[in-house]
Amino acid sequence: MLSVEDKGRYLLQYLLDCRGICHENALLLVLIKLDKDSVDEEGSPNRTFEDYLKYLQDIVDEINVKLNRLNYKIVRINHPSGARVISRYTKSYLRDHEQDFGSFFNLQDPATSAITANNNDQNVSIELPQSSRYYVYINLESNEETKLATRFSLKEIEFIKWAIQEFMINGSTIETTNRIPSSIIVKEINRILKEVSTDESPQFWNSYCTFTKGSLNLSKFRDLTASETDDLLIRLCRYKWFYRTDEGTFGMDLRCITELEQYLIETFEFKTCTVCKHIVLQGVLCRDAQTDENCSMWHVDCFQHYITHSRKSCSNCESDLMTQGVYVI
């Protein structure tokens, strides 16, 4: 029989095996597997999804008490792309890694449908809803050099800082065009606008910005050769610090954003999401037409909540968000 401490140790090991970042649904499935042969302290092996969600958070809290002494922490954070977008990738991941969760699962549609687990000879059916939540293992050291030093050389750290500066500078440029680049973020925002619009054919936006850079641009760092840069970019993507798009551009992934959030806010005076107060590198930007300055920002899910339940205009500059927003892709 596994104790809560045993389950916490196995969950931490699985998270580290996932390079320090794991979708919430995947960790929930691991927890159910660990719970399969154990009876909890109350003597009841059956739990609902809400029970497991709270149970997982309680175990993570216990882990963090121990990790705090080592200046590490597991944090839960929402991906800026939103639940609908992330669930598409999660669905494929869970199918591809079904063997990790045990044969007792019936994973017909794991990111959105009910699953069934044989738990102590009792069938447990729970619903795994669409979710953008990830658990991320982060370093709590006070500066970005210390956070990166465990994996990268001094020269590589300088490249990462330079690349982040390039991403941030690029994101400050707003392009206005009738041909917005194809992006799953754009499609999701357009879906939201169409859903809340009273017009049969809503007017979509003609401006966008992106906190990404092409590999050719990132190869201009003078202290690394082109091949060294390519190898480092592959490693950074593997560690979930950077991500690579199908078009060959690179951007900051969730782990980088989570660990360096305060650094990014302070160094680049970056605005945070109006709803959740976290940094926004994908989602929606409001550009004040009067001052031509960045006004407010939202993640995709936060924008949907704001425009659906709060108001359809910016609370700062009163711009009409149905017609004057900027895609952040």
Side-chain angles (χ1 to χ4, degrees):
M1 182 182 298
L2 294 176
S3 66
V4 173
E5 186 174 355
D6 291 333
K7 294 173 186 176
R9 188 165 59 249
Y10 283 122
L11 283 171
L12 177 59
Q13 184 59 56
Y14 185 82
L15 180 60
L16 295 177
D17 287 344
C18 294
R19 304 189 185 279
I21 179 169
C22 186
H23 191 273
E24 183 177 72
N25 283 354
L27 270 188
L28 282 168
L29 291 181
V30 172
L31 178 57
I32 297 170
K33 180 179 179 181
L34 293 172
D35 212 33
K36 172 178 176 285
D37 297 318
S38 301
V39 177
D40 61 43
E41 292 77 4
E42 291 77 26
S44 172
N46 293 326
R47 303 178 193 269
T48 65
F49 170 76
E50 289 74 17
D51 292 335
Y52 272 112
L53 203 60
K54 184 178 185 307
Y55 193 33
L56 175 61
Q57 189 59 57
D58 289 343
I59 293 177
V60 169
D61 289 342
E62 290 293 325
I63 297 173
N64 280 335
V65 171
K66 298 179 176 64
L67 289 179
N68 187 59
R69 305 167 195 163
L70 306 174
N71 283 322
Y72 283 91
K73 185 179 182 180
I74 300 172
V75 299
R76 189 174 73 168
I77 189 168
N78 291 320
H79 196 284
S81 299
R84 288 171 61 94
V85 172
I86 291 302
S87 291
R88 300 181 189 182
Y89 298 107
T90 308
K91 195 182 302 183
S92 298
Y93 172 85
L94 294 180
R95 285 202 186 100
D96 293 342
H97 294 78
E98 185 171 349
Q99 67 277 8
D100 293 346
F101 309 118
S103 58
F104 58 94
F105 286 114
N106 174 22
L107 296 174
Q108 295 178 344
D109 196 0
T112 58
S113 300
I115 66 168
T116 301
N118 189 325
N119 192 345
N120 284 349
D121 298 324
Q122 298 184 46
N123 286 331
V124 178
S125 181
I126 66 172
E127 186 89 9
L128 293 180
Q130 290 183 340
S131 171
S132 64
R133 289 188 295 269
Y134 280 82
Y135 280 88
V136 185
Y137 181 79
I138 66 169
N139 188 337
L140 296 176
E141 292 287 354
S142 59
N143 61 72
E144 67 278 3
E145 285 88 352
T146 307
K147 294 174 187 291
L148 296 168
T150 55
R151 287 195 177 92
F152 305 104
S153 68
L154 182 60
K155 188 163 58 173
E156 291 171 335
I157 291 173
E158 290 305 311
F159 168 82
I160 294 170
K161 292 170 64 178
W162 173 82
I164 289 174
Q165 185 175 22
E166 291 294 299
F167 294 146
M168 300 302 287
I169 291 173
N170 198 51
S172 65
T173 302
I174 295 178
E175 300 284 348
T176 300
T177 173
N178 291 325
R179 301 191 62 171
I180 298 295
S182 176
S183 166
I184 195 168
I185 302 296
V186 172
K187 292 177 182 177
E188 182 63 10
I189 293 170
N190 286 348
R191 181 196 65 81
I192 294 169
L193 292 173
K194 189 173 182 179
E195 197 172 83
V196 300
S197 176
T198 56
D199 299 332
E200 286 190 15
S201 301
Q203 176 186 342
F204 297 135
W205 309 333
N206 64 352
S207 298
Y208 76 95
C209 64
T210 177
F211 292 90
T212 63
K213 271 283 190 177
S215 57
L216 185 62
N217 297 105
L218 294 177
S219 296
K220 295 177 180 178
F221 185 68
R222 62 185 180 183
D223 292 336
L224 293 177
T225 66
S227 61
E228 287 175 332
T229 300
D230 287 341
D231 290 342
L232 179 55
L233 287 171
I234 291 172
R235 287 170 55 205
L236 287 165
C237 291
R238 190 186 311 135
Y239 290 137
K240 307 296 185 183
W241 272 79
F242 289 179
Y243 68 88
R244 183 182 185 276
T245 68
D246 294 337
E247 291 74 32
T249 60
F250 291 85
M252 286 178 277
D253 209 342
L254 193 59
R255 188 169 190 186
C256 177
I257 297 171
T258 305
E259 287 212 11
L260 300 185
E261 182 172 40
Q262 200 57 41
Y263 164 77
L264 295 172
I265 293 172
E266 293 174 356
T267 304
F268 301 100
E269 298 181 349
F270 200 78
K271 291 185 179 296
T272 57
C273 176
T274 299
V275 175
C276 72
K277 308 306 179 185
H278 287 291
I279 194 168
V280 181
L281 298 182
Q282 289 177 313
V284 173
L285 167 68
C286 173
R287 187 83 165 177
D288 190 332
Q290 301 298 321
T291 63
D292 199 34
E293 294 181 355
N294 293 353
C295 182
S296 302
M297 299 186 78
W298 298 265
H299 300 109
V300 174
D301 283 349
C302 294
F303 177 70
Q304 181 171 13
H305 183 273
Y306 179 88
I307 203 169
T308 303
H309 300 290
S310 183
R311 53 192 295 177
K312 294 181 175 61
S313 60
C314 176
S315 58
N316 289 325
C317 70
E318 298 297 333
S319 294
D320 181 7
L321 294 174
M322 296 299 297
T323 59
Q324 300 180 41
V326 177
Y327 303 103
V328 183
I329 59 177

